[in-house]
């Protein structure tokens, strides 16, 4: 593919805490991430706690001098107004977040988020000055039918006219691998990342800057084999991000892999 731009893509490790933990656990987890790390300044680290803990987690990150960016797991489709229970991108920015996850398969599945909704969220996030982690991924049956790439590329195509390269990171998360303990093989993940990059190359200016993360049961044990793949620029981690030791190890794995790739 002639992709010689690898070194310009800084690895990213994003932790998606989902709807887990208590206030005390959230603060404790951040404090556990504050220990000094040798290689970690070469990667971007992000944690996305539940909305109600964002302020406490953000405050603790500052107090403990932890070099991790605060992120949210979702944002609303409008900037403000009569939308009971929603949280807008500008509020998320206001509380200190730099990042928001959009299009996670759990949102697509449980909240019926389609391309129209995701486009609105994307535009809100960009407008608020947030970086977006945009998730895509296929189901088990789509993969079994040989439709994995077609589906993922279609998900990207549906949003492509709106995607801003400088504010977006893609996360490829096969749905069958999320929270199941099943991980895509490094080769299968690499193939998908390569397919995505080919597609971006043909359809998006400045495509080579786009980071593509892998997500789906990444843990301290399997991170190294995935991280060594040239097209994998980092991870979006769910379950293992609730374990400070695992999150630290995965970050170190990414930093080490980056050095080896250079
Ligand atoms: P998991 O979740 O690491 O628990 O599989 C990943 C995600 O949903 O982002």
């Amino acid at each position: 593919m002639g992709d010689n731009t690898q070194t310009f893509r800084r690895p990213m490790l994003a932790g998606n805490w989902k709807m887990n933990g208590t206030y005390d656990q959230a603060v404790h987890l951040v404090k556990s991430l504050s220990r000094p790390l040798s290689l970690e300044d070469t990667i971007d680290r992000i944690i996305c706690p539940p909305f109600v803990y964002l302020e406490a987690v953000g405050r603790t990150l500052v107090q403990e001098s932890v070099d991790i960016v605060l992120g949210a797991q979702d944002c609303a489709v409008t900037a403000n107004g009569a939308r009971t229970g929603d949280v807008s991108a500008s509020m998320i920015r206001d509380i200190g977040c730099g990042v928001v996850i959009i299009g996670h398969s759990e949102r697509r599945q449980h909240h019926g988020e389609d391309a129209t909704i995701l486009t609105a969220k994307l535009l809100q996030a960009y407008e608020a000055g947030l970086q977006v982690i945009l998730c895509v991924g296929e189901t088990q049956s789509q993969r079994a039918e040989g439709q994995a790439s077609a589906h993922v590329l279609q998900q990207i195509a549906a949003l492509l006219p709106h995607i801003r390269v400088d504010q977006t990171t893609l996360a490829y998360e096969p749905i069958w691998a999320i929270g199941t303990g099943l991980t895509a093989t490094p080769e299968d993940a690499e193939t998908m990342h390569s397919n995505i990059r080919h597609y971006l190359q043909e359809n998006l200016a400045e495509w080579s800057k786009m980071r593509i993360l892998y997500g789906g049961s990444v843990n301290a044990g399997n991170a190294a084999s995935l991280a060594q793949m040239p097209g994998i620029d980092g991870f979006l981690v769910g379950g293992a991000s609730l374990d400070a030791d695992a999150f630290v190890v995965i970050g170190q794995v990414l930093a080490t892999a980056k050095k080896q790739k250079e």
Side-chain angles (χ1 to χ4, degrees):
M1 152 169 88
D3 176 9
N4 57 2
T5 56
Q6 184 64 36
T7 51
F8 297 109
R9 294 195 299 268
R10 191 174 153 90
M12 179 187 285
L13 172 60
N16 175 9
W17 293 5
K18 307 193 181 180
M19 194 174 67
N20 288 299
T22 62
Y23 181 100
D24 287 347
Q25 285 168 341
V27 170
H28 182 259
L29 182 48
V30 178
K31 288 185 175 167
S32 308
L33 294 169
S34 72
R35 63 197 107 159
L37 303 162
S38 50
L39 291 166
E40 301 247 331
D41 55 350
T42 58
I43 71 166
D44 291 333
R45 292 196 302 168
I46 295 147
I47 49 175
C48 304
F51 281 129
V52 289
Y53 304 141
L54 280 175
E55 187 173 11
V57 167
R59 199 181 324 115
T60 311
L61 285 172
V62 172
Q63 279 165 1
E64 304 283 326
S65 303
V66 188
D67 191 15
I68 291 181
V69 174
L70 191 62
Q73 299 172 18
D74 179 41
C75 70
V77 294
T78 56
N80 47 49
R83 302 200 70 93
T84 303
D86 283 359
V87 179
S88 74
S90 57
M91 291 172 181
I92 288 166
R93 182 80 180 146
D94 190 33
I95 205 76
C97 290
V99 177
V100 63
I101 298 171
I102 291 181
H104 192 282
S105 61
E106 288 154 13
R107 302 280 327 168
R108 292 180 191 255
Q109 188 184 343
H110 303 309
H111 300 267
E113 296 194 355
D114 58 12
T116 305
I117 291 173
L118 296 178
T119 298
K121 292 188 172 196
L122 208 54
L123 296 177
Q124 287 296 321
Y126 291 151
E127 184 64 26
L130 293 167
Q131 288 286 326
V132 172
I133 297 176
L134 179 60
C135 302
V136 293
E138 83 285 0
T139 63
Q140 183 109 59
S141 60
Q142 285 163 338
R143 176 157 285 269
E145 289 159 14
Q147 293 299 312
S149 275
H151 178 73
V152 165
L153 298 184
Q154 192 276 330
Q155 284 181 319
I156 297 171
L159 301 174
L160 198 74
H162 309 285
I163 289 178
R164 294 187 192 167
V165 173
D166 58 343
Q167 271 179 272
T168 311
T169 298
L170 284 174
Y172 166 55
E173 297 204 302
I175 295 170
W176 48 270
I178 294 176
T180 58
L182 300 170
T183 317
T185 63
E187 294 73 22
D188 283 348
E190 175 66 16
T191 298
M192 183 63 84
H193 283 223
S194 170
N195 291 343
I196 293 171
R197 216 158 252 131
H198 272 296
Y199 177 80
L200 296 179
Q201 183 172 15
E202 280 161 20
N203 293 286
L204 197 63
E206 298 198 279
W207 62 275
S208 62
K209 288 187 193 164
M210 181 78 84
R211 287 182 284 196
I212 308 176
L213 313 181
Y214 169 78
S217 297
V218 175
N219 58 41
N222 60 28
S225 57
L226 289 157
Q228 74 189 20
M229 292 293 149
I232 294 181
D233 301 320
F235 299 124
L236 179 54
V237 181
S241 72
L242 297 168
D243 176 338
D245 289 337
F247 196 67
V248 167
V249 167
I250 295 168
Q252 287 166 336
V253 162
L254 277 174
T256 305
K258 176 177 181 269
K259 282 196 144 194
Q260 288 164 352
K261 286 179 192 173
E262 278 169 2

